[in-house]
Amino acid sequence: INYLKAVINKEQLISSKEVIQKYNLGTSGNIPRIKEALENKEIIDFFEKEPYMIDPLFEYWLKKHYF
């Protein structure tokens, strides 16, 4: 969930120390596992190494009702 929050907030360097601490993502070793899990579940995809939400309505719902 915290990784999705970082993606929605358009964080540029999600694997940076500051972003990991800000969004409580654990360790830098967790980032590839989180990315892979979200990509396998077809929640996010990558375009030119930048993550984006596949479903814009899900992104909107997360912004307005969950976060």
Side-chain angles (χ1 to χ4, degrees), residues 28-45:
S28 60
N30 284 343
I31 303 300
R33 287 190 293 260
I34 294 169
K35 287 170 35 176
E36 182 180 351
L38 291 172
E39 194 171 19
N40 287 341
K41 293 178 182 182
E42 296 181 356
I43 296 173
I44 64 170
D45 203 358

Side-chain angles (χ1 to χ4, degrees), residues 8-40:
I8 288 172
N9 290 332
K10 308 287 189 229
E11 293 289 346
Q12 295 296 317
L13 300 172
I14 294 179
S15 60
S16 71
K17 185 177 179 180
E18 294 81 21
V19 173
I20 289 173
Q21 289 177 346
K22 180 179 177 181
Y23 293 98
N24 194 24
L25 297 175
T27 64
S28 60
N30 284 343
I31 303 300
R33 287 190 293 260
I34 294 169
K35 287 170 35 176
E36 182 180 351
L38 291 172
E39 194 171 19
N40 287 341

